[in-house]
Amino acid sequence: MPHRDKAGTLCNLKIVTLLVALSPELLFLGAGVQLQDNGYDGLLVAINPQVSEEQNLIPNIKEMITEASFYLFNATKRRVFFRNVKILIPATWKANHYSQVKQESYEKANVIVTDWYGARGGDPYTLQYRGCGKEGKHIYFTPEFLLNDDLTAGYGSRGKVFVHEWAHLRWGVFDEYNNEKPFYISGQNQIKVTRCSSDIVGMFVCEKGPCPQENCIISELFQEGCMFIYNSTQNATSSIMFMQSLSSVVEFCNSSTHNQEAPNLQNQMCNLRSTWDVISDSIDFNHSFPMTGTALPPPPTFSLVQAGDKVVCLVLDVSSKMAEADRLLRLQQAAEFYLMQIVEIHTFVGIVSFNSKGEIRAPLHQINNDDDRKLLVSYLPATVSAEAETSICSGLKRGFEVAEKLNGKAYGSVMILVTSGVDEHISNCLLTVFSSGATIHSIALGSSADRNLEDFSHLTGGLKFFVPDKSNSNSMIDAFSRISSGTGDVLQQRIQLESTGENVEPHHQLKNTVTVDNSVGNDTAFLVAWQTSGPPEIVLSDPNGRKYYTHNFTINQALRTARLWIPGTAKPGLWTYTLNNTHHSPQALKVTVTSRASHSAQPPATVEAFVEKDSTSFPHPMMIYANVRKGLYPILNATVTATIEPETKDPVTLKLFDDGAGADVIKNDGIYSRYFFSFAVNGRYSLKVHVNHSPSISTLGHSLPGSHAMYVPGYITNGNIQMHAPRKSLGRSEEARTGGFSRVSSGGSFSVLGVPAGPHPDVFPPCTVIDLEAVKVDEEVTLSWTAPGEDFDQGQANSYEIRMSKSLQNIRDDFNNAILVNTSKLNPQQAGTKEIFTFSPKLFTNGSEHQPDGETQESHKIYVAIRTIDRHSLKSAVSNIVQASLFIPPSSAPVLARDYLILNGVLTAMSLIGIICLTVVVTHYILNKKKKADRKENGTKLL
């Protein structure tokens, strides 16, 4: 084992030892919500700065979570409750003796209160971007939901709604209703309403009141004006993920009450498992036991925190390692960019440098104008030290000293730590870092940076970045661009529109375009950076053809940067830039374009890039994500490209998709996803995402797909229909007609271990099919799904294995022994292509199949799943399981039991009438014949 790896392992052991010794409060800093002794600690609720101050909002949040805690405790059978909660008050609200924030920020919140609605009229909503059993990103509530008591008639109490959304967020379960498929044909060939449990009852209602089902459902379609209204009084106790608004509902569906046939997202995403089964398998439940006794847990305690003055300190490495690969120059360029363009007005900024010891270069200085920014730039380090030794702890301690000068503590401050060195004593300052209350964003510069550097970011909730030693990489500027104030006020934050870098040969040029859309344009700046000598020849054209040249830019020859500010609001449309390398040697040329929102009433389009986890081990892939939206609305049909840069080797580009297949869980939710597994080397990888939107196909999603609490339109109470007030119609679907837009965002860094040094055999199987669907047409079943690849979601697989069974348990637990469908004529297409395959399941109507104990063959359903195989016989996991009705003769078409009895009665009556009529006719015929015979006989006698 190399010396550095040994040192890293030793340091990690020290970190673990220290964490055990720390108080729970320090342990949870930056670690999100933690479960300890059955209680959740560290739940963070953040209010968006655009939300108006309302005196009832905070009391209602407290009341909601307090009710939720007791309801959750009972619903989980005395397992979990909320112990302490923090509410982050926006800085836009007036101060009211709130506590000072520490590491809390808007981006880290579990629950967000915001005014930007979705089309569902402000439904409580949870953003879930991963699969079944995986944590989501945020819960969203609107002020309208929290303040308007009339809405509780349709949603139920706010505490119950919170538990519904918490189950989405924490345990990765999904909704058990389906507005798109409100009914289905059951395995007993009856029409059923989509619900869970099936014991929840109600009736069909037409425009004029109650009506029989046959008036509502014709040719398997709901008629306009029809709906199914549930009784307000029920005996069923589940399920919270279906209709939390019912007073009788107090638990999640379990294996005995779960409706496996319902066509809902829970069944699709979790392979027909009940919500309680998924929850029971969570880490929370694996590490806790129900509380004994009958006593209730204590109510949650609430802390209200508010950010004070914004304080940022740059903590910059100047050891001799920074002289390598132009590291100092790239740091200077990025730091100047941050100070001149990114850091917000009125922020207090200080600068510290360090080698074997720390040095305060600039005490805190508040930014009020451009002169303040330029003054801070002048304090940036200009040279590197001769010392190779690096003391990261010394630099951070100096940084805390700078921050403490303002209010006596470093609470709520931000440290931007940049280093390329190694500190073997990094564990010596962990306790100081934890107790500082500061957030540390770490930037590892080059492959020599300390392997434990990211621990500071992880434990304080900071971001982490990696900058490779490549002259044409713009990763350093991208990292500084991503670091915002953490207030959640996107209207004030700078948005990155372009970031590119290229090695340009002598007398060649770098030419490209960048779109400035009409949602941005204020404070627009173009930054050009180069590697050696003087600036390139710059030509910049706006959409109207006006040109800006090199002499229009502000040149900083020492830092080798040129900057152009566009006065007022930049013209929307395509801007074209051309950089000519007029030198006799190759030049690394880089361009960065940033802007701010142009309208206070409308949020601009944003992109947030991130990865599933901090590190992975070969051959496990890394999930890459990009959340593209405008406010909360998902932006559809965007071209999203990820660029991943390893420590060495060339960057890898990867197109991300929002198609509900492969790594993407939900289609059209604005989260674009992809597997990344092209690991070139061990070590750190940097992620950047580009988003481009064409005006011809750009659309703004009119709804927020995924996980919402159901709003019930009305109830049947004592036989009377009582409808609730309809929700606000806040939906929208907009075509983007502004020339499209472009965005860039750094996604931070991640680490990969265990990559073989040389060539290795194929170890990447096809990805799992997650969007399998089945439709019965006459005697056949048609399957459709998105094609996986040879390796995960790339390339072209070799074959498919489709199996079916009349037993859900058989196909889920013993797929290999389910009945194999003949797929000899089915050849996989290129990954991402829609596959369609039709087959006839006659085998089930003629043959028999072994059933697990307790199961019968009375069901008219079949269950189907698929597995993909590559050319090296590596197999994917089994797909989601779908179900379809077997072919039933036309005389046995789906009807309700009541209708069936009526039909039988009518047929019986008609049969009896027919028999009576036949009897009368026959009798009449016989009597007539007998009369004729008698007359004939009498005539003979007379003759």
Side-chain angles (χ1 to χ4, degrees), residues 218-291:
I218 300 174
S219 300
E220 300 190 4
L221 291 174
F222 249 136
Q223 295 303 294
E224 187 175 353
C226 278
M227 62 181 67
F228 192 85
I229 303 296
Y230 294 92
N231 296 346
S232 61
T233 303
Q234 304 275 351
N235 294 321
T237 58
S238 61
S239 167
I240 293 169
M241 302 314 293
F242 172 63
M243 194 181 286
Q244 75 288 329
S245 56
L246 291 171
S247 58
S248 66
V249 169
V250 293
E251 59 187 9
F252 298 95
C253 262
N254 57 35
S255 56
S256 62
T257 58
H258 179 58
N259 181 4
Q260 294 175 336
E261 293 186 322
N264 55 40
L265 206 55
Q266 172 65 22
N267 279 330
Q268 177 188 334
M269 300 303 302
C270 297
N271 259 348
L272 312 182
R273 296 174 65 200
S274 73
T275 53
W276 184 248
D277 286 344
V278 176
I279 293 169
S280 299
D281 282 346
S282 68
I283 295 176
D284 287 351
F285 279 43
N286 289 336
H287 292 84
S288 67
F289 299 94
M291 289 175 61

Side-chain angles (χ1 to χ4, degrees), residues 644-665:
I644 302 104
E645 291 185 278
E647 291 189 5
T648 57
K649 310 292 184 182
D650 294 329
V652 177
T653 58
L654 200 61
K655 191 172 181 180
L656 310 186
F657 299 103
D658 184 18
D659 57 0
D664 192 68
V665 172

Side-chain angles (χ1 to χ4, degrees), residues 901-915:
L901 290 174
I902 292 171
L903 182 61
N904 272 349
V906 171
L907 291 174
T908 302
M910 291 179 65
S911 299
L912 289 172
I913 292 169
I915 292 170

